[in-house]
Amino acid sequence: SPGALPSFSILELRSVTRPGPSLPLQIPDALLMERDKRARWQGIPVLLKRLYESSHPNSDMTQIHSFVKELSSLLSMEAMSIVTEERKTPQESTFPNTYTFDLFGGVDLLVEILMRPTLTTQKDVPKMSDDLVKDCLSVLYNCCICTDGVTKSLASRDDFILFLFTLMSNKKTFLQTATLIEDILGVRKEMIQLEDIPNLAGLVQSFNQQQLANFCRILSVTISEPDVGVDDKHTLLARNAQQRANAGPSRAEVNQVALLNIPGFVERLCKLATRKVSEASGTSSFLQELEDWHTWLDNALVLDALMQIASDEAEQSSTESSDESSLAASPLGHRLPQSMKIVHEIMYKVEVLYVLCVMLMGRQRNQVHRMLAEFRLIPGLNNLFDKLIWRKNTSSHVLHGQNQNCDCSPEISFKIQFLRLLQSFSDHHENKYLLLNSQELNELSAISLKANIPEVEALVNTDRNLVCDGKKGLLTRLISVMKKEPAESSFRFWQARAVESFLRGATSYADQVFLLKRGLLEHILFCIIDSGCKSHDVLQSYFDLLGELMKFNLDAFKRFNKYVNTDEKFQIFFNQINSSLVDSNMLVRCIVLTLDRFESQTEDMRVVEVLSECCLLSYMARVENRLSFLFRLINIINVQTLTQENVSCLNTSLVVLMLARRRGKLPFYLNALREKEYAEKYPGGLLNNFHNLLRFWQHHYLNKDKDSTCLENSSCIPFTYWKETVAVLLGSDRTCPYAIASYIDEAYMDLDRDF
């Protein structure tokens, strides 16, 4: 190894000296120089010794800067290689200079030099120049990306992290500071408290729009809940245990509140999210240039360094600076490829939309919603849709091969973040109608009038001054691009999720018809039946959307029957449903609920006609088919494997049994479960499992913090009836025909298993 010593090892060296900034002082010059030649230390220990000796409260900053510059030149090439070659595992042998710098206390020394002015009580201490601060920060960043452990070491120092935030108030050191903070917070185990940052509100208000966008990259780490126990794939048992352990608001939630309390913060984010990229010459080759620049531009550091040059030139040319100015306004703007301006603006918007999206999903959701509506976020995004968000080019939004699960392209990340924001914005919230324009709102009113049903209250209450303008609203634009999306596109999942969220909540006939008139049902059926779609995620999103679109809607079932007009098509459709009930059970629930409602409306001849002609309803009307679904829904889950993703299977099985209970058929269904167990020579297997699942259901859904309105809205069954049915099924009286316990023989009973 280039760092090896011929006569004693690094470990031996450290064992006889005291690590830290003063380490080189403890070793005589002669020994340092002798070993330097053999170990190829490039004179770094000697330089650090000189730097340490010259750095004290009244030291000559010019001399300090010269040493830092010299050290920086020795380390920068190693850092550049990791940035350009994307090496993932820094090793001592790969970056000997950076390793040596850290080994001899260089990192600790630079931290001490940077923080010294804040630690001394002395007056008239020489001021560090901006350039010296920048060079110190750059060296520290180089060490973070090249030497394993440096980032973690810095991340453990709260005092240094809070000090770094104070450096962000200086425009000239902002970029280097932001980059280093982002790296440090990325490895920190404990989330920082934004309230601990000195004068947080003043700091954020001092940022221009470009700085605020960069600051959002840092904020994303401070307002997002840690992944553990939050992801769909973590069990509900683990999530519930974690929530019990952390009863109060989490640090992420406290940080969200701190940001919301900063005057003008959300308004400025909305302006950033919706500002336009100034048009420049050469627009015809935007996308080709984007492909050429793409791999280099993915590195945010390089992009921002380029932007720093642009803003420096702008500063020199004019003393005036506009908060809203973007890259195109600077003197360098006309010399940069237009695609670079677009990609940089897109990268900003990704971070801003992410922050807004997280806040929309937090405890302050209603407050955030009011602000986003007031500051016209949705109309602003609608105006950007064709020219920036979904420009007419397919090559950049179809993922291939190794990028299939990677959001590395700025354009791809931007589109996905935009769709996630729409999903969060619409989901179970009356503000969803802001996604339409005035003409489309009038169309919804006309649909309700024609059907002789009252308008939805949320529609009536929508402020027409805050809705989309232009020929199409955002929802309509989204459906248009959704229908043109290539079969292999990764966006199909996110598009379907965003549209489905508009339909979620209490079923609205007018909303469904509005989307049916735009050919959405036929498009979904084409994707499920005719496109050869194999992706479980995409199929699940389409089944969920189809369920919301068709629920209780006669027109939708007629359209379904018209499209699925052969036995072959029907068989393909059901094969897709049966391929994964976890993915398709929400559609199964929709069909069961709709069948139950239609069967109670047989005085209406239109309903009778659909019941007799629709292949989907005829299939579900056969009790053996409903029982088949029930068996499988109960069989594919247990308490230990329940997640946010598959808990819907439990709720769908409950819907089947609640409807059976309403019609006095519950004992028949429970007995069928018992007979199924014996037929498969596994007595007690299904019913014991279901009993445990229902016990967990009570534990999970009867929690005072749990919002039960989603279950009630999606099924149109009062939550009190859900609770009663579960209680009846869990009854301990073995003579009761509605209790699960009555159908399990004593020898096979296992009802009180500990979760």
Side-chain angles (χ1 to χ4, degrees):
S1 161
L5 284 166
S7 54
F8 54 83
S9 71
I10 295 297
L11 288 174
E12 288 169 333
L13 172 66
R14 284 215 131 171
S15 69
V16 296
T17 58
R18 184 172 62 82
S22 60
L23 174 59
L25 283 182
Q26 302 168 57
I27 307 169
D29 278 6
L31 180 59
L32 275 180
M33 289 176 180
E34 178 200 336
R35 296 304 174 215
D36 196 302
K37 289 173 187 173
R38 297 186 191 178
R40 285 177 276 177
W41 284 339
Q42 308 294 332
I44 290 171
V46 175
L47 272 172
L48 282 172
K49 188 172 184 178
R50 300 287 173 268
L51 178 59
Y52 187 87
E53 290 167 343
S54 64
S55 62
H56 47 80
N58 297 308
S59 52
D60 178 1
M61 291 296 169
T62 312
Q63 190 179 22
I64 288 178
H65 199 179
S66 67
F67 288 133
V68 173
K69 275 183 179 173
E70 203 171 337
L71 286 162
S72 180
S73 66
L74 289 167
L75 306 181
S76 59
M77 290 308 293
E78 291 182 349
M80 189 55 71
S81 73
I82 206 170
V83 169
T84 54
E85 296 173 31
E86 296 186 4
R87 291 185 183 149
K88 301 297 181 193
T89 51
Q91 294 174 343
E92 168 197 340
S93 58
T94 318
F95 308 108
N97 291 354
T98 313
Y99 179 77
T100 305
F101 177 81
D102 180 43
L103 175 71
F104 283 94
V107 171
D108 294 334
L109 180 54
L110 285 195
V111 169
E112 194 175 295
I113 289 170
L114 280 169
M115 293 186 69
R116 187 172 288 148
T118 66
L119 301 175
T120 180
T121 54
Q122 235 178 290
K123 293 180 180 178
D124 303 323
V125 175
K127 189 177 182 305
M128 290 178 71
S129 69
D130 294 336
D131 287 338
L132 173 53
V133 173
K134 283 202 293 194
D135 286 340
C136 288
L137 292 170
S138 295
V139 170
L140 288 176
Y141 182 74
N142 290 347
C143 291
C144 283
I145 59 177
C146 291
T147 308
D148 194 32
V150 170
T151 322
K152 288 178 183 174
S153 169
L154 293 177
S156 67
R157 294 194 54 171
D158 290 2
D159 59 339
F160 181 60
I161 293 172
L162 294 177
F163 165 75
L164 284 177
F165 276 100
T166 66
L167 292 183
M168 295 181 83
S169 60
N170 184 342
K171 190 174 180 183
K172 290 182 177 172
T173 58
F174 175 89
L175 188 63
Q176 286 77 6
T177 312
T179 310
L180 182 59
I181 292 175
E182 187 185 354
D183 214 52
I184 289 172
L185 295 185
V187 302
R188 187 179 159 93
K189 287 182 180 175
E190 191 178 41
M191 192 177 288
I192 66 158
Q193 292 286 82
L194 291 178
E195 289 177 328
D196 293 340
I197 298 169
N199 189 22
L200 173 68
L203 178 68
V204 173
Q205 288 171 315
S206 74
F207 295 153
N208 62 30
Q209 289 295 75
Q210 183 175 316
Q211 290 172 317
L212 184 61
N214 271 304
F215 189 59
C216 283
R217 291 220 298 261
I218 293 167
L219 290 181
S220 63
V221 185
T222 68
I223 60 172
S224 308
E225 298 292 354
D227 285 341
V228 181
V230 176
D231 190 80
D232 275 356
K233 293 182 174 54
H234 288 81
T235 67
L236 292 181
L237 273 178
R239 290 183 63 179
N240 289 350
Q242 189 183 38
Q243 285 168 359
R244 283 196 305 274
N246 307 317
S250 67
R251 287 201 162 195
E253 289 166 340
V254 171
N255 285 342
Q256 289 175 30
V257 172
L259 291 173
L260 284 173
N261 289 336
I262 298 174
F265 176 72
V266 173
E267 182 177 9
R268 291 182 67 194
L269 288 193
C270 289
K271 285 182 178 177
L272 261 172
T274 58
R275 74 176 180 186
K276 296 177 181 177
V277 181
S278 301
E279 298 292 342
S281 59
T283 56
S284 60
S285 58
F286 285 177
L287 294 165
Q288 184 53 52
E289 288 174 6
L290 182 58
E291 293 299 318
D292 297 341
W293 287 93
H294 174 235
T295 49
W296 184 67
L297 286 176
D298 268 355
N299 189 285
L301 270 182
V302 182
L303 256 179
D304 284 329
L306 186 84
M307 302 311 297
Q308 186 74 57
I309 297 167
S311 58
D312 287 349
E313 286 200 22
E315 204 172 280
Q316 289 166 14
S317 69
S318 168
T319 53
E320 296 178 8
S321 66
S322 165
D323 195 39
E324 290 302 315
S325 68
S326 62
L327 168 60
S330 78
L332 190 64
H334 68 278
R335 285 187 270 140
L336 292 172
Q338 177 70 4
S339 63
M340 288 184 64
K341 287 181 264 183
I342 290 173
V343 174
H344 197 261
E345 188 65 24
I346 281 173
M347 290 179 79
Y348 277 167
K349 288 184 183 337
V350 169
E351 306 300 339
V352 172
L353 291 182
Y354 180 82
V355 170
L356 291 175
C357 191
V358 170
M359 295 177 91
L360 261 180
M361 296 188 290
R363 289 195 185 192
Q364 314 302 315
R365 185 182 188 213
N366 288 331
Q367 181 188 352
V368 176
H369 246 293
R370 283 194 300 273
M371 296 168 98
L372 298 189
E374 180 188 347
F375 303 132
R376 294 179 56 82
L377 174 71
I378 296 302
L381 290 174
N382 188 43
N383 292 334
L384 288 180
F385 190 86
D386 290 334
K387 288 188 178 177
L388 185 68
I389 300 172
W390 227 278
R391 289 175 290 150
K392 293 172 184 176
N393 175 269
T394 56
S395 64
S396 60
H397 57 89
V398 177
L399 294 181
H400 297 285
Q402 63 181 2
N403 291 332
Q404 194 62 44
N405 298 311
C406 168
D407 298 341
C408 59
S409 154
E411 289 232 329
I412 289 172
S413 298
F414 183 40
K415 287 184 170 75
I416 290 174
Q417 204 53 61
F418 164 76
L419 293 170
R420 289 182 69 181
L421 180 85
L422 289 195
Q423 180 186 350
S424 303
F425 188 86
S426 304
D427 196 13
H428 292 92
H429 203 282
E430 59 186 22
N431 273 356
K432 69 181 186 177
Y433 290 111
L434 298 182
L435 269 65
L436 309 183
N437 66 18
S438 290
Q439 291 83 0
E440 291 163 348
L441 292 177
N442 292 340
E443 185 183 337
L444 283 179
S445 301
I447 292 168
S448 297
L449 186 65
K450 185 179 178 182
N452 197 27
I453 55 175
E455 285 186 75
V456 177
E457 189 180 348
L459 175 62
V460 176
N461 294 338
T462 298
D463 185 343
R464 298 288 179 119
N465 295 313
L466 302 177
V467 301
C468 294
D469 40 30
K471 292 180 180 177
K472 290 181 180 179
L474 202 44
L475 180 66
T476 307
R477 290 184 194 277
L478 176 57
I479 291 165
S480 297
V481 298
M482 184 179 177
K483 288 162 70 175
K484 296 172 188 170
E485 203 64 46
E488 69 275 26
S489 170
S490 64
F491 295 125
R492 284 178 168 228
F493 169 80
W494 298 103
Q495 290 166 337
R497 279 278 176 262
V499 177
E500 184 219 341
S501 70
F502 179 81
L503 290 170
R504 273 193 201 160
T507 304
S508 163
Y509 172 79
D511 292 356
Q512 290 173 325
V513 172
F514 179 84
L515 296 176
L516 287 171
K517 286 167 71 175
R518 283 153 179 79
L520 185 60
L521 184 134
E522 289 79 7
H523 168 71
I524 298 168
L525 291 175
F526 170 81
C527 293
I528 293 173
I529 298 170
D530 300 314
S531 74
C533 180
K534 296 284 192 293
S535 164
H536 277 300
D537 286 340
V538 172
L539 282 172
Q540 183 183 48
S541 66
Y542 279 140
F543 283 131
D544 289 352
L545 175 53
L546 194 60
E548 293 294 342
L549 189 60
M550 295 180 69
K551 195 187 302 173
F552 310 132
N553 193 300
L554 274 175
D555 302 330
F557 279 87
K558 281 182 180 177
R559 282 175 177 256
F560 178 93
N561 222 38
K562 190 175 178 182
Y563 189 94
V564 185
N565 54 8
T566 66
D567 289 343
E568 184 187 6
K569 279 189 172 183
F570 188 72
Q571 195 56 54
I572 294 170
F573 182 75
F574 256 91
N575 287 344
Q576 291 279 45
I577 285 181
N578 288 322
S579 66
S580 175
L581 268 184
V582 171
D583 299 332
S584 62
N585 81 88
M586 293 299 287
L587 176 61
V588 171
R589 190 190 305 182
C590 149
I591 303 165
V592 169
L593 284 164
T594 303
L595 176 69
D596 183 76
R597 176 175 291 191
F598 285 179
E599 285 179 341
S600 67
Q601 298 174 336
T602 49
E603 71 283 354
D604 186 333
M605 290 312 297
R606 294 178 309 144
V607 173
V608 173
E609 183 186 339
V610 169
L611 278 172
S612 62
E613 291 180 0
C614 180
C615 52
L616 196 55
L617 293 171
S618 299
Y619 181 89
M620 199 60 78
R622 292 195 285 276
V623 69
E624 64 271 21
N625 292 332
R626 290 204 297 280
L627 283 170
S628 173
F629 278 120
L630 181 64
F631 298 152
R632 283 184 293 150
L633 285 166
I634 295 172
N635 215 23
I636 56 180
I637 48 173
N638 60 57
V639 172
Q640 281 67 38
T641 60
L642 273 184
T643 65
Q644 196 65 41
E645 187 180 5
N646 64 23
V647 71
S648 57
C649 293
L650 173 56
N651 288 321
T652 299
S653 63
L654 252 179
V655 165
V656 173
L657 292 177
M658 282 191 292
L659 299 180
R661 181 181 170 222
R662 268 185 183 173
R663 292 173 178 260
K665 298 284 182 64
L666 186 54
F668 171 80
Y669 277 75
L670 293 176
N671 193 56
L673 287 172
R674 172 188 164 85
E675 288 178 1
K676 178 72 172 174
E677 290 177 339
Y678 275 88
E680 299 200 351
K681 297 182 170 52
Y682 188 22
L686 272 173
L687 290 168
N688 278 314
N689 182 45
F690 191 48
H691 192 279
N692 280 322
L693 284 165
L694 293 180
R695 283 173 55 226
F696 177 82
W697 188 95
Q698 284 185 325
H699 178 75
H700 184 71
Y701 282 103
L702 303 188
N703 185 313
K704 60 180 169 59
D705 294 330
K706 209 72 189 170
D707 184 6
S708 59
T709 54
C710 293
L711 288 179
E712 192 165 283
N713 285 338
S714 71
S715 62
C716 290
I717 298 173
F719 190 64
T720 50
Y721 197 75
W722 285 77
K723 290 191 292 185
E724 285 170 17
T725 304
V726 172
V728 165
L729 287 165
L730 291 178
S732 56
D733 181 0
R734 297 197 64 216
T735 62
C736 174
Y738 305 115
I740 290 172
S742 304
Y743 297 86
I744 308 174
D745 291 341
E746 192 84 49
Y748 305 115
M749 200 171 285
D750 183 15
L751 300 183
D752 301 312
R753 190 181 302 172
D754 186 10
F755 295 149

